[in-house]
Amino acid sequence: MSALQNSIYFWLALIGLLAFLAVLPTLIALARGVDDIAIIMLFNAICCTTVFGWPIALFLAIRWPRRNPAPRPTSLQRRPAEHRANHESHIYGRGPGA
């Protein structure tokens, strides 16, 4: 255990991990493209050192509304029969009158 405590790589990795976790809510908010990102960044910067502030910042980053919400997927609609017939005849090399 003493060798691990004296290792500079262990401490750099630990500090890097803690720094990554501290800014994780801001990174999530940036990736999601949330509206009013400054509020989340400010809340994260002020409250990330507390036990209660960091989870709240993480929750806000996940649940805050986006600037441009992603479009909802629509149900697949079938093409009209006449359009399918034209498409199939074009594929097989037959003209419209064939």
Side-chain angles (χ1 to χ4, degrees):
M1 185 70 167
S2 176
L4 187 62
Q5 290 175 347
N6 292 333
S7 172
I8 188 71
Y9 300 114
F10 168 74
W11 291 108
L12 287 176
L14 184 64
I15 291 170
L17 177 67
L18 291 175
F20 174 75
L21 287 176
V23 297
L24 184 63
T26 301
L27 294 175
I28 290 173
L30 284 170
R32 288 188 66 233
V34 299
D35 195 21
D36 297 329
I37 192 151
I39 294 172
I40 295 174
M41 290 174 71
L42 184 63
F43 190 83
N44 189 24
I46 293 172
C47 299
C48 76
T49 58
T50 65
V51 176
F52 299 109
W54 187 83
I56 293 171
L58 186 63
F59 178 78
L60 287 175
I62 293 171
R63 299 295 295 171
W64 202 273
R66 294 180 181 189
R67 278 183 292 241
N68 298 321
R72 292 182 174 217
T74 59
S75 62
L76 297 175
Q77 297 176 351
R78 295 187 61 123
R79 293 187 211 167
E82 60 193 40
H83 182 65
R84 278 197 312 265
N86 280 340
H87 184 68
E88 289 171 1
S89 66
H90 182 68
I91 290 174
Y92 296 116
R94 290 179 273 165

